[in-house]
Amino acid sequence: MSSSGAKLSRVKRSQQLSAAAAALCALQVVDTDKMWSFVWSSALPLLVSLSPAVLFLLQLPDYTATQEGHWQDYKYGHHGSELHNSKRFCTWKCVLFTLQWPGAFCQSLDQETLCMIPPSVNNWTIHGLWPFKVFHCCNCWPMFQSDVQELEAELTEHWPSLLKTKPSFHFWREEWEKHGVCAACVEGMNSPIRYFQICLKLRQQFDIHKMLEDAGITPSCERPYKVAEVHQVLAPHLGDKHEIQCVTDDQDREVWFQVKIPLSRNLTVGCDHQGDAERDPALGSGSGWNRSHGHPCPPRVPFYYFPIDHQQPQRPCG
């Protein structure tokens, strides 16, 4: 077999494994009276496609559904969100869409030397889309690189890893397995590709850099800003409940590094069910970012909006 043929074979097998895992995941969350109909219509055909011997061992009849059809179901989501058809699974009412500013990301790390800013990154980047008040979440839906292959260029631009120790795909996979599978009970986000497409659309909608620039608020090492003036600019676009987050650098300066935008389940701005989102364990941090370092920017203390420095990302302003 040629190298290209072998590569295609590996991609196809990873797709099959993903689909089988998604089908098995469904068995954990659907109601009992619906489980067997789901097994016959979805889960077993996927498993059979991976191991023909199962047909003999289980003496199953032939199935007319094609392997490709089941892969399309997995990739673009199961109609009606069969994978998350349990009320206890889809308990959340709100999500936080979180954007981070690369110019201050390094200051949010315990070890600043882990930080890097790719040369192509010159704007706000996505940190994640996080459902909160999630009480049960499927942990059996893995993600492979082929799942988001067609979005890779956009994700690399708008959702890069800023850690030397974490490739961008590992960052995306971590966000999917920790938060995306919780969001997948909503039909528009019920597969990896759909979840990431939604995130990219939200990033396009919330162009913070342009909003600020149009109001004369630009990155600077000299000029500090107040929460009230930035909030006044962003509120018409992000809603009144958005949160401007800072970290404190080693010179005790408040430095702006993140914005959290609460959205309702239908992704409209604002959410009345927000409550104690900050205490939600589902919003915990990944490796390298100590979540306790991030805090709402103090309303009475001016903060800095540092410029991006690709050569010295840890010390953009000395």
Side-chain angles (χ1 to χ4, degrees):
M1 180 182 295
S2 66
S3 59
S4 60
K7 183 178 180 180
L8 286 173
S9 178
R10 288 194 298 271
V11 169
K12 190 67 175 179
R13 180 49 57 94
S14 72
Q15 292 172 349
Q16 291 175 329
L17 289 171
S18 294
L24 285 174
C25 179
L27 300 184
Q28 295 189 10
V29 297
V30 297
D31 295 334
T32 303
D33 60 344
K34 297 179 181 177
M35 181 177 71
W36 287 111
S37 63
F38 181 82
V39 168
W40 292 109
S41 65
S42 182
L44 287 179
L46 289 168
L47 297 176
V48 167
S49 71
L50 294 175
S51 179
V54 176
L55 277 171
F56 174 77
L57 293 174
L58 299 181
Q59 297 182 356
L60 298 175
D62 284 336
Y63 290 89
T64 57
T66 65
Q67 188 180 93
E68 185 64 26
H70 288 294
W71 161 238
Q72 291 298 321
D73 274 350
Y74 161 72
K75 185 175 183 182
Y76 295 107
H78 292 261
H79 183 68
S81 301
E82 294 97 325
L83 285 178
H84 305 294
N85 202 20
S86 172
K87 290 181 181 179
R88 69 190 179 96
F89 190 93
C90 206
T91 55
W92 58 271
K93 303 294 184 184
C94 306
V95 290
L96 286 178
F97 183 58
T98 305
L99 295 168
Q100 59 191 8
W101 177 242
F105 175 78
C106 297
Q107 282 73 31
S108 71
L109 301 176
D110 290 323
Q111 298 179 351
E112 292 184 4
T113 55
L114 295 177
C115 179
M116 68 165 187
I117 303 176
S120 60
V121 173
N122 293 287
N123 208 324
W124 288 79
T125 62
I126 300 170
H127 189 169
L129 181 65
W130 310 328
F132 57 82
K133 290 193 174 180
V134 175
F135 300 114
H136 175 75
C137 201
C138 173
N139 60 358
C140 55
W141 192 344
M143 182 178 119
F144 297 94
Q145 198 148 7
S146 58
D147 295 336
V148 291
Q149 193 168 15
E150 62 194 78
L151 299 176
E152 192 164 351
E154 286 183 88
L155 290 172
T156 299
E157 178 183 358
H158 298 299
W159 200 334
S161 171
L162 303 179
L163 292 173
K164 294 177 181 177
T165 56
K166 183 180 293 183
S168 288
F169 173 71
H170 291 184
F171 183 23
W172 308 332
R173 183 177 61 191
E174 181 181 271
E175 289 295 308
W176 164 254
E177 293 180 350
K178 191 170 186 178
H179 304 291
V181 293
C182 302
C185 60
V186 174
E187 190 164 338
M189 294 187 280
N190 60 350
S191 70
I193 192 169
R194 286 187 169 185
Y195 173 75
F196 287 102
Q197 283 174 333
I198 288 292
C199 291
L200 289 170
K201 287 179 181 178
L202 290 172
R203 168 61 184 79
Q204 185 178 21
Q205 177 182 345
F206 301 121
D207 189 349
I208 292 178
H209 187 82
K210 187 177 186 305
M211 296 173 194
L212 296 170
E213 192 173 53
D214 289 347
I217 297 175
T218 57
S220 171
C221 290
E222 290 79 32
R223 180 188 172 186
Y225 296 96
K226 294 181 179 179
V227 170
E229 64 180 312
V230 174
H231 180 85
Q232 186 176 13
V233 171
L234 296 180
H237 309 280
L238 312 184
D240 289 333
K241 295 181 180 180
H242 72 271
E243 181 174 289
I244 300 169
Q245 283 205 325
C246 286
V247 290
T248 307
D249 72 359
D250 56 7
Q251 297 184 39
D252 288 329
R253 294 174 293 190
E254 293 295 327
V255 181
W256 187 15
F257 92 109
Q258 196 158 251
V259 175
K260 290 183 174 180
I261 307 166
L263 305 172
S264 296
R265 192 152 147 177
N266 63 359
L267 302 180
T268 54
V269 171
C271 189
D272 295 333
H273 305 276
Q274 160 172 13
D276 54 352
E278 289 302 314
R279 296 194 292 275
D280 190 334
L283 304 185
S285 65
S287 60
W289 179 46
N290 188 332
R291 190 165 168 270
S292 64
H293 291 178
H295 53 263
C297 298
R300 294 182 178 83
V301 179
F303 63 83
Y304 286 88
Y305 180 23
F306 283 169
I308 294 173
D309 189 328
H310 297 95
Q311 280 70 43
Q312 294 182 314
Q314 300 89 356
R315 295 289 184 273
C317 293

